[in-house]
Amino acid sequence: MSKEYDFVVIGGGSAGYAAASTASKAGLSVAVIEGGEEVGGLCILRGCMPSKALLESAKRFDAMRRAAEFGLHAENLSFRGEEIIARKKRLIGGFAGYRREQLESGKFDFIRGMAGFVDAHTVEVVSLQNERTQIKGRSFLIATGSTENFVPVPGLAETGYLDSDAVLDSAEIPDSVIVLGGGAVAMEFSQYYAALGKQVTIIQRGEQVLRDADTDVAVALVKAYEKRGVNVYLKTGLLRAERHGATKRVWFRHDGAEKNVEAAEIIYALGRKAQIQGLNLERAGVALARRGHIACGMTQQTNVSHIFGAGDVVGPHEIVHLAVQQGETAARNAAKILRGDAGPMEQLDYRLKLFAVFSEPQVAFVGATEKELRGDGIPHASACYPFYDHGKSMLMDEIDGFVKLIVAEKSREILGAAVIGPHASDLIHEIVVAMHFRATAGDLARVPHYHPTLSEIWTYPAEELAGA
């Protein structure tokens, strides 16, 4: 006999847990179904947390390599890949253990198994022991995350490569790598190997790295990488991969000619896709959007009004804090439907959408980019200020990059901002707070900033735009 719940969550990652917790606090009966061998979700197990653990080790090593620039001397430097991975495993084990405890001790039922829809109000769950049971729901949230998007490259499978999961567990650090891709994952893995002193080549299909960033930001990042000895090829067409003695070779089209590069290893980082396999969405009548995501509106509802989506499986931005917000929004709207409350549904606001890449230098941006504003025909103004002319960054000897502030042409309200430079992922939050309160460039310019600090760099573009 099947059991019925008010709200059934498929997926126990960040979005799923946030939604389940919110729904249970709203008084709904809730079940969370998680089918992964490990519990924790992509961010904790195979995404932002383990990758940043590796990057932190590499950053410390790179700082020691540069000791002489600060009048310091560090000799006989070395690293042990197995110890870097061991530290990562200790940290992730703790994070995952805490998430597992949250799921198992929450005010909802936690069910281990793979779920697939039977109809719009029923899922069948196949447990890890291959036992089958049916669960009914008055409403559902699909939060199954994403999986690697494999783009066929002739010969690549036979040649061999490391995907993102493999890199995160690889204790062997090759002397040279070819990184396929130019997104956040590709740029962070490139930084990891380059900081450890290895030769890195990036092959990107698009016109720029970080396709959602403004062009000036992407260009500055490539220049900074090339300054550190990384080879970057843009606007390429991958042709084939092959073994060449003890190395691996990738052929690609670039500037109208066939070229090739060799390295000890190939890193595959060509993006991810929505994880919908086995959900049997067609049985529930749930429609898909472009690029295979589940189609959702701003209320997080799919085309089937009692079925919601959140996180990477729906997009449009595969970022963990937005996944959490989506899950919470979905849960509150589900409760509203089930209670029969009148009035408008809650909608997610992407005005403060935030993105960061832990490259070197780091990249971060919030709100609208100039590219988006031009596309939407919104009059705006912008101003930049470079880190090479900023006191604190000069003291740190981290002078690559700049900050950029973007404002509405007439009101001077801050519409967006970007940072490429030291601690960009932290610096951007000053603008997030300013935008939350709909501050103008003049408001920001009047806020006192201590000297010398990195954050005072924001006062320069703010003053320029306030006085324009």
Side-chain angles (χ1 to χ4, degrees):
M1 183 175 178
S2 60
K3 188 172 181 180
E4 184 174 25
Y5 296 87
D6 293 327
F7 192 59
V8 177
V9 178
I10 306 174
S14 298
Y17 172 73
S21 180
T22 301
S24 64
K25 290 176 183 176
L28 303 186
S29 60
V30 181
V32 177
I33 305 170
E34 171 56 53
E37 293 183 9
E38 298 177 279
V39 175
L42 175 65
C43 177
I44 291 176
L45 297 174
R46 301 181 303 281
C48 44
M49 299 306 287
S51 63
K52 304 314 173 284
L54 299 191
L55 283 168
E56 195 61 40
S57 292
K59 181 176 182 177
R60 303 297 177 94
F61 185 75
D62 193 37
M64 290 190 291
R65 293 170 61 207
R66 298 173 55 203
E69 298 173 20
F70 299 88
L72 308 174
H73 297 276
E75 300 175 352
N76 301 318
L77 294 177
S78 65
F79 60 83
R80 294 180 176 87
E82 63 274 12
E83 294 181 11
I84 293 175
I85 299 300
R87 176 180 183 270
K88 183 268 299 185
K89 288 182 176 179
R90 287 195 303 273
L91 289 168
I92 301 312
F95 297 142
Y98 180 62
R99 174 54 52 81
R100 187 184 307 109
E101 181 181 341
Q102 288 178 309
L103 288 165
E104 292 175 346
S105 63
K107 294 181 179 180
F108 44 78
D109 288 348
F110 182 50
I111 301 167
R112 301 285 276 115
M114 301 295 293
F117 282 97
V118 176
D119 56 47
H121 282 281
T122 312
V123 292
E124 181 178 69
V125 180
V126 181
S127 73
L128 301 180
Q129 294 75 37
N130 206 34
E131 297 172 348
R132 296 175 182 269
T133 186
Q134 288 194 351
I135 293 176
K136 291 188 175 295
R138 298 175 66 201
S139 63
F140 290 85
L141 173 73
I142 304 170
T144 48
S146 63
T147 187
E148 187 177 66
N149 181 34
F150 187 77
V151 178
V153 178
L156 182 59
E158 296 79 6
T159 303
Y161 62 92
L162 298 180
D163 61 15
S164 58
D165 290 354
V167 171
L168 295 175
D169 282 328
S170 179
E172 182 178 348
I173 310 296
D175 287 334
S176 56
V177 296
I178 301 167
V179 178
L180 304 182
V185 173
M187 301 311 289
E188 289 182 354
F189 281 152
S190 298
Q191 164 61 20
Y192 173 58
Y193 289 110
L196 292 176
K198 306 307 180 183
Q199 179 60 51
V200 177
T201 299
I202 298 171
I203 303 178
Q204 160 68 334
R205 295 171 295 172
E207 295 185 355
Q208 66 175 54
V209 299
L210 305 181
R211 66 182 181 186
D212 293 331
D214 276 330
T215 300
D216 54 354
V217 174
V219 168
L221 183 59
V222 168
K223 287 182 177 178
Y225 270 45
E226 291 176 335
K227 179 179 175 181
R228 290 166 170 78
V230 176
N231 298 315
V232 183
Y233 293 93
L234 303 175
K235 294 187 289 186
T236 69
L238 292 173
L239 298 174
R240 62 188 180 277
E242 62 189 17
R243 287 193 172 273
H244 184 68
T247 64
K248 300 177 180 181
R249 178 183 289 174
V250 174
W251 289 85
F252 57 99
R253 186 175 291 106
H254 183 254
D255 288 340
E258 283 195 14
K259 297 183 180 180
N260 71 83
V261 291
E262 293 182 18
E265 189 55 88
I266 299 171
I267 309 299
Y268 184 94
L270 292 174
R272 302 181 68 83
K273 63 180 180 180
Q275 174 58 280
I276 60 174
Q277 185 176 3
L279 288 174
N280 300 326
L281 296 175
E282 68 284 356
R283 296 181 184 176
V286 174
L288 298 180
R290 65 183 184 89
R291 296 173 59 194
H293 288 98
I294 293 175
C296 275
M298 301 299 283
T299 62
Q300 299 309 127
Q301 290 170 286
T302 69
N303 61 303
V304 182
S305 61
H306 69 278
I307 300 178
F308 297 78
D312 288 5
V313 74
V314 300
H317 311 286
E318 290 81 18
I319 303 169
V320 68
H321 75 275
L322 288 179
V324 169
Q325 289 180 278
Q326 290 173 338
E328 293 170 343
T329 299
R332 288 190 288 267
N333 283 337
K336 187 178 182 68
I337 290 174
L338 296 180
R339 289 193 301 258
D341 291 352
M345 303 276 277
E346 181 178 334
Q347 296 191 24
L348 202 70
D349 181 9
Y350 290 109
R351 185 176 67 88
L352 298 180
K353 70 178 186 293
L354 179 64
F355 186 71
V357 183
F358 293 80
S359 47
E360 188 60 46
Q362 291 184 3
V363 174
F365 44 95
V366 63
T369 63
E370 288 197 275
K371 186 188 303 183
E372 291 170 331
L373 293 171
R374 284 193 294 267
D376 292 337
I378 298 175
H380 64 280
S382 67
C384 298
Y385 198 85
F387 279 104
Y388 66 71
D389 192 38
H390 184 56
K392 183 56 184 283
S393 53
M394 294 167 70
L395 294 173
M396 298 168 64
D397 196 26
E398 295 189 37
I399 57 175
D400 291 325
F402 57 87
V403 296
K404 176 166 69 171
L405 202 60
I406 308 168
V407 299
E409 187 173 78
K410 291 185 177 180
S411 70
R412 298 287 143 164
E413 179 182 336
I414 301 171
L415 302 179
V419 192
I420 173 170
H423 298 282
S425 60
D426 296 309
L427 284 175
I428 197 66
H429 286 85
E430 180 166 346
I431 308 305
V432 177
V433 173
M435 288 182 63
H436 175 78
F437 291 104
R438 295 191 175 276
T440 65
D443 294 330
L444 180 60
R446 287 189 291 273
V447 174
H449 289 72
Y450 200 82
H451 175 76
T453 61
L454 286 175
S455 58
E456 66 177 328
I457 195 172
W458 285 118
T459 62
Y460 302 116
E463 288 168 354
E464 180 179 338
L465 290 170

